């Protein structure tokens, strides 16, 4: 039985690439806002990953599918769209390869329109879902 690859290295690589590619005033966090963050920031939400139902090899190796979410939080709807667009471009064009696995290009799987969150401090947010597929190298 093939066990899906651990997602942690991929999550750290994606965070690192967004940290390097987004403007310096945009924070990036895993599982929520980065520590001491003020908008704008991107929160990444990663699951454990699932055995892919595609690309089963003859030796029964199965890729790991990681469907993750990027939530951009900002002070205005325009800022939310701008930062989410920059993050989307980076995610779809970045080389997320890791030493022990092959990571295929990240695909955007869906998104929701910009919305307002008034729960504590009014902020605007955009969410988008991405699919990363990786297999052992």
């Amino acid at each position: 039985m093939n066990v899906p690859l651990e997602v942690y290295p991929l999550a750290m690589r994606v965070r690192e690439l967004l940290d390097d590619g987004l403007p310096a005033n945009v924070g990036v966090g895993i599982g929520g806002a980065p520590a001491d963050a003020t908008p704008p920031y991107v929160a990444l939400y990663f699951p454990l990953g699932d055995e892919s139902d595609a690309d089963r090899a003859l030796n029964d190796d199965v890729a790991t599918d990681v469907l993750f979410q990027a939530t951009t939080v900002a002070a205005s709807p325009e800022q939310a769209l701008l930062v989410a667009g920059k993050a989307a471009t980076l995610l779809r064009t970045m080389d997320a390869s890791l030493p022990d696995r092959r990571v295929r290009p990240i695909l955007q799987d869906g998104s929701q329109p910009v919305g307002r969150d008034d729960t504590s401090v009014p902020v605007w947010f955009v969410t988008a879902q991405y699919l990363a597929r990786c297999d052992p190298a």
Side-chain angles (χ1 to χ4, degrees):
M1 177 174 141
N2 188 13
V3 177
L5 293 167
E6 289 188 25
V7 172
Y8 179 81
L10 177 64
M12 295 302 104
R13 179 73 174 138
V14 168
R15 181 176 69 180
E16 172 190 26
L17 291 167
L18 285 178
D19 272 337
D20 291 346
L22 290 171
N25 69 320
V26 179
V28 180
I30 301 274
D36 302 323
T38 58
Y41 61 84
V42 177
L44 299 169
Y45 297 93
F46 282 87
L48 291 178
D50 297 307
E51 211 176 69
S52 177
D53 59 0
D55 297 334
R56 186 173 292 275
L58 291 175
N59 64 359
D60 207 32
D61 283 342
V62 180
T64 299
D65 281 350
V66 181
L67 186 62
F68 66 96
Q69 179 170 302
T71 300
T72 300
V73 178
S76 70
E78 295 85 3
Q79 186 182 51
L81 287 169
L82 178 67
V83 174
K86 288 180 185 256
T89 298
L90 287 168
L91 288 167
R92 291 188 315 249
T93 60
M94 66 177 43
D95 176 10
S97 60
L98 295 163
D100 60 340
R101 65 188 73 186
R102 178 176 67 121
V103 180
R104 299 181 197 177
I106 294 173
L107 304 173
Q108 187 170 337
D109 193 58
S111 66
Q112 288 74 43
V114 65
R116 185 177 169 129
D117 183 355
D118 293 322
T119 55
S120 57
V121 176
V123 292
W124 296 86
F125 65 95
V126 175
T127 60
Q129 296 74 40
Y130 298 91
L131 173 64
R133 180 170 286 149
C134 50
D135 6 48

